[in-house]
Amino acid sequence: MSRRHPGRGRLTVAALLTALLTLPAALLAQGPAHAADYRYWSFWQQGKSGAWVYATQGPSIARPDDGDVEGFRFAVSANSGSAEKPRGAADFDAICADTPAKDGQKRVALVVDFGTPDDAPGGEQPPKRRTACARVDSDGTTADALAAVAKPLRYNSSALLCAISGYPEQGCGEQVSGKESGGKGDKADGTASAKDGDGDGGPSVGLLAGVAAIVALGAAAVWQARRRRG
């Protein structure tokens, strides 16, 4: 018959209580992880359904067909999955109504959305959203179409589009801190709104669940030790 060791039970409870007090503090000290945000021009193409689709090619490579609608949006985002789409209606017939077809050339409807003041670099104000119908050679790229209606354009040494119609005056795809970006997006009408899933910097649901599990474990250990002593 084995003998009980009250001292060992007290040591186990003490160890669990130590973990109970120190592990949540260590988890809280780590804080939530945030993806880096960048301020840049994103490039979009309108699908057959009329919905905007993030372009898989750059404007200097993409070659739209006559009748296509393409858009650009300046905003702060982490990646293509969270990028803001151009706002407002975008209909080829409406945008290119006053630009007749011409042999050997094609017409491309462009939407240029300069974004919101929240996304603007410090000291700059975004121009109003505009549309234009570009007529370029039949083998022209989207960059050719944009250059025909929205100069001056600015590119960096890696051929990244930095500015359309001179906006912004400086910067090119730079990383933006959380304070600058503010974690805000905007609705279709251009008004600011908080993005779904943005927090206030507090502990996450997963972290709180882990702390609760540790509390439950510690309580069970105390109850078990008392039962053995009884």
Side-chain angles (χ1 to χ4, degrees):
M1 181 175 179
S2 61
R3 297 178 58 189
R4 295 180 181 176
H5 299 278
R8 181 180 299 173
R10 287 194 294 269
L11 288 174
T12 301
V13 172
L16 286 172
L17 288 176
T18 300
L20 173 65
L21 293 173
T22 60
L23 184 55
L27 291 173
L28 287 170
Q30 294 177 3
H34 297 286
D37 288 335
Y38 297 88
R39 181 184 286 118
Y40 67 101
W41 279 102
S42 57
F43 172 36
W44 301 79
Q45 297 170 321
Q46 194 178 81
K48 293 182 179 179
S49 65
W52 287 114
V53 179
Y54 198 93
T56 58
Q57 295 180 314
S60 61
I61 299 175
R63 297 183 185 278
D65 294 325
D66 183 78
D68 282 353
V69 180
E70 306 205 314
F72 294 85
R73 171 69 189 268
F74 188 78
V76 173
S77 63
N79 50 49
S80 60
S82 62
E84 301 288 352
K85 301 176 181 180
R87 297 165 295 174
D91 178 73
F92 176 82
D93 291 335
I95 296 173
C96 290
D98 298 327
T99 306
K102 188 176 181 180
D103 290 341
Q105 294 187 322
K106 60 185 176 184
R107 296 168 298 164
V108 181
L110 295 174
V111 177
V112 181
D113 187 341
F114 296 88
T116 69
D118 284 342
D119 291 328
E124 296 195 52
Q125 286 294 322
K128 292 182 179 180
R129 169 188 176 275
R130 68 179 67 166
T131 61
C133 185
R135 188 164 56 189
V136 295
D137 291 341
S138 57
D139 63 345
T141 65
T142 302
D144 294 330
L146 190 63
V149 297
K151 288 182 178 180
L153 306 180
R154 178 165 56 87
Y155 293 87
N156 69 2
S157 59
S158 300
L160 177 65
L161 179 62
C162 304
I164 298 177
S165 296
Y167 181 83
E169 294 181 1
Q170 298 180 346
C172 189
E174 67 273 14
Q175 186 172 337
V176 179
S177 68
K179 282 187 178 181
E180 287 182 280
S181 65
K184 291 185 178 181
D186 44 67
K187 303 177 183 177
D189 60 2
T191 57
S193 64
K195 279 191 177 179
D196 294 340
D198 280 350
D200 57 2
S204 66
V205 173
L207 174 60
L208 293 177
V211 172
I214 296 171
V215 172
L217 180 62
V222 173
W223 176 82
Q224 185 70 16
R226 288 178 176 174
R227 184 173 176 229
R228 286 177 180 174
R229 288 201 299 271

